[in-house]
Amino acid sequence: MTLTSPYLENYPDEKGFYGKFGGSFVPPPIQEQMDKISARYNEIKNSPEYLKELDKIRKEYQGRPTPISYAKRLSEHVGGAKIYLKREDLNHMGAHKMNHCMAECLLAKSMGFKKVIAETGAGQHGVALASAAAYLGLECDIYMGEVDMLKEEPNVTRMRILGTKVIPATTGLKTLKEAVDMAFMAYMEDPENIMYCIGSVVGPHPFPMMVRDFQSVVGKEAKGQFLDMEGTLPDHVVACCGGGSNAAGIFSAFIEDKDVKLYAVEPRGKGTGVMGEHAASIQYGHEGVLHGFNSITLTDSNGEPAPVHSIASGLDYPSVGPEHAFWHDIGRTESDVGATDLEAVEAFFMLSKLEGIIPALESSHAVAYAIKIAPKLKGQTILVNLSGRGDKDLDYVVENYPEFVDKKF
Ligand SMILES: *Cc1c(COP(=O)(O)O)cnc(C)c1O
């Protein structure tokens, strides 16, 4: 499968801009590496050998193509639109992240790098990268806040078993922000021998573009599968949005189909709109440069990244991919789209009990939004990108939401 299409070829521009968003705002030694990565990526993205190897890995190791399932009992329960699920939860290791981690590591290997590094919050990106690195024989260092390491111990253990070194960030609040700083410092020390693998459609160019292209397999598969099943395109496509990689992956195939409405569901957290109680950058943020790219960011009065909250740790990022900022700006994606912690938890249990699928809390935000709009859309179809499975969230929901465990829907 190719990594391109007319839309994908036209955006971003050469400097990595989607309208005014994107670009690359990094120190010169890092820019030098970004230029090298760009050049190599442009070389191999149409190379039959690279694409053949990627396709083979996806088919024989990762378990692609993932199916689309019609959620019949959920649709009947909610009433209105028919709801379909693109099953990214069935990827090896249980989430869509493997789509870009594998491709990034393959690119790193083709450039002669022996080592990949990254930061991780809850450990999901770390685990996906650790697996890809093990599979391809690359060394892997993951930076993680000490507090997060205690909270997410099973993921730390997974990474270690997979042969990755997990390095604790012990300064400040000892969470994701400190881990980002530390990983970036390690990268600055030796950029010529390491590839920094970014975990979403964020960071300096070319990462937002590459990660989108690597995730575009989701949209391309889904479009063909949906046409086969229903003989027409879906009316609505819904995906949860933290940095925005799973959303960009599925949206990218439908951008030029103007009748298909696209919804990037942001985490509204506690639902108050108060800073620190959500991570809905598009809804509450403003334009600014963070982590090397221009986008819509959540910052405090000092211009520092604002504290963010979501029940889904994969969604609590104080910015969003530049292409999402662009799509929102031009009106290609819908406005005012989000789900609260509680709505996500309810969707988590509904999908589990009505469909026999336990979704990740991140993905539950997308399901919650589909449940919200379906009653008004009788006779129409909604395709939800189910980005991952919820095994990692079981202890948390049972401890914090015991009232839902035996609830009937
Ligand atoms: C990390 C993660 C997300 C959020 O990342 P995006 O880049 O916004 O897609 C969503 N779902 C799952 C299951 C994840 O692990």
Side-chain angles (χ1 to χ4, degrees):
M1 193 175 287
T2 69
L3 295 173
T4 59
S5 77
Y7 172 80
L8 298 180
E9 283 294 312
N10 286 330
Y11 289 93
D13 69 15
E14 268 150 62
K15 296 228 148 73
F17 281 94
Y18 311 80
K20 62 183 170 178
F21 300 111
S24 176
F25 301 83
V26 291
I30 304 294
Q31 189 55 47
E32 216 173 283
Q33 291 304 312
M34 293 303 124
D35 292 343
K36 262 191 223 165
I37 294 171
S38 273
R40 180 65 182 150
Y41 176 66
N42 285 329
E43 235 170 74
I44 64 169
K45 73 176 176 191
N46 294 314
S47 122
E49 295 87 68
Y50 178 79
L51 295 175
K52 205 169 139 201
E53 194 168 356
L54 194 57
D55 277 349
K56 191 171 151 73
I57 291 171
R58 286 174 167 175
K59 177 158 174 249
E60 296 173 7
Y61 177 81
Q62 227 182 290
R64 302 207 73 88
T66 58
I68 285 182
S69 308
Y70 169 46
K72 183 167 185 284
R73 293 192 67 223
L74 177 69
S75 302
E76 286 172 2
H77 177 77
V78 175
K82 285 163 86 178
I83 301 170
Y84 296 77
L85 310 168
K86 174 64 171 163
R87 301 290 306 281
E88 290 304 294
D89 59 312
L90 296 177
N91 271 289
H92 177 53
M93 287 292 173
H96 72 289
K97 287 197 171 72
M98 201 53 105
N99 297 328
H100 60 252
C101 284
M102 227 5 134
E104 284 178 329
C105 284
L106 207 55
L107 177 66
K109 215 175 159 175
S110 90
M111 294 180 71
F113 292 119
K114 301 272 186 296
K115 182 168 170 179
V116 291
I117 66 167
E119 83 288 342
T120 194
Q124 296 306 109
H125 177 50
V127 168
L129 194 64
S131 316
Y135 179 78
L136 292 167
L138 293 165
E139 223 186 300
C140 180
D141 285 357
I142 297 291
Y143 294 83
M144 190 168 181
E146 205 170 35
V147 168
D148 292 335
M149 284 176 71
L150 288 174
K151 245 167 61 186
E152 309 288 344
E153 208 206 277
N155 275 342
V156 175
T157 307
R158 275 184 197 108
M159 287 185 266
R160 288 192 170 136
I161 288 175
L162 291 162
T164 278
K165 194 153 99 193
V166 185
I167 301 165
T170 54
T171 56
L173 295 175
K174 306 175 190 178
T175 60
L176 181 62
K177 183 179 177 298
E178 290 75 24
V180 172
D181 292 344
M182 206 173 160
F184 194 71
M185 260 153 52
Y187 188 45
M188 284 291 282
E189 270 167 34
D190 195 13
E192 273 150 45
N193 293 304
I194 304 175
M195 182 143 130
Y196 193 137
C197 290
I198 292 177
S200 188
V201 285
V202 298
H205 179 68
F207 278 92
M209 169 185 78
M210 292 199 307
V211 172
R212 173 203 66 189
D213 291 355
F214 297 150
Q215 288 293 345
S216 70
V217 65
V218 177
K220 284 176 189 150
E221 280 178 15
K223 194 171 185 176
Q225 290 166 323
F226 199 90
L227 275 169
D228 283 348
M229 285 170 90
E230 294 298 314
T232 169
L233 293 180
D235 298 301
H236 309 270
V237 177
V238 177
C240 67
C241 186
S245 66
N246 87 88
I250 196 158
F251 291 175
S252 63
F254 298 99
I255 289 293
E256 283 158 297
D257 302 304
K258 296 287 191 287
D259 293 338
V260 179
K261 287 196 171 162
L262 307 174
Y263 306 80
V265 186
E266 292 199 301
R268 283 193 181 140
K270 301 197 164 113
T272 56
V274 172
M275 193 203 284
E277 299 193 342
H278 65 82
S281 318
I282 295 174
Q283 284 162 71
Y284 300 115
H286 36 79
E287 192 181 338
V289 173
L290 183 69
H291 296 154
F293 64 105
N294 187 43
S295 186
I296 302 176
T297 59
L298 293 169
T299 46
D300 64 18
S301 47
N302 299 321
E304 288 288 309
V308 282
H309 161 84
S310 167
I311 193 177
S313 43
L315 300 181
D316 60 3
Y317 182 62
S319 182
V320 67
E323 197 164 16
H324 284 287
F326 171 66
W327 285 334
H328 184 258
D329 212 35
I330 61 170
R332 182 63 192 91
T333 49
E334 303 300 309
S335 282
D336 200 22
V337 178
T340 64
D341 288 350
L342 191 60
E343 288 166 339
V345 169
E346 185 159 34
F348 173 97
F349 281 101
M350 253 197 208
L351 197 70
S352 299
K353 290 177 195 295
L354 294 172
E355 296 293 338
I357 299 169
I358 303 178
L361 279 173
E362 289 82 3
S363 324
S364 301
H365 284 71
V367 177
Y369 195 78
I371 291 171
K372 204 172 344 189
I373 61 174
K376 290 169 265 170
L377 302 171
K378 204 167 171 46
Q380 301 187 33
T381 54
I382 304 174
L383 175 61
V384 175
N385 197 16
L386 201 74
S387 54
R389 68 175 184 230
D391 304 49
K392 66 185 178 62
D393 301 312
L394 301 182
D395 292 347
Y396 180 86
V397 287
V398 168
E399 218 177 287
N400 292 279
Y401 297 89
E403 67 277 19
F404 278 102
V405 176
D406 295 319
K407 190 171 167 173
K408 298 249 179 312
F409 288 98

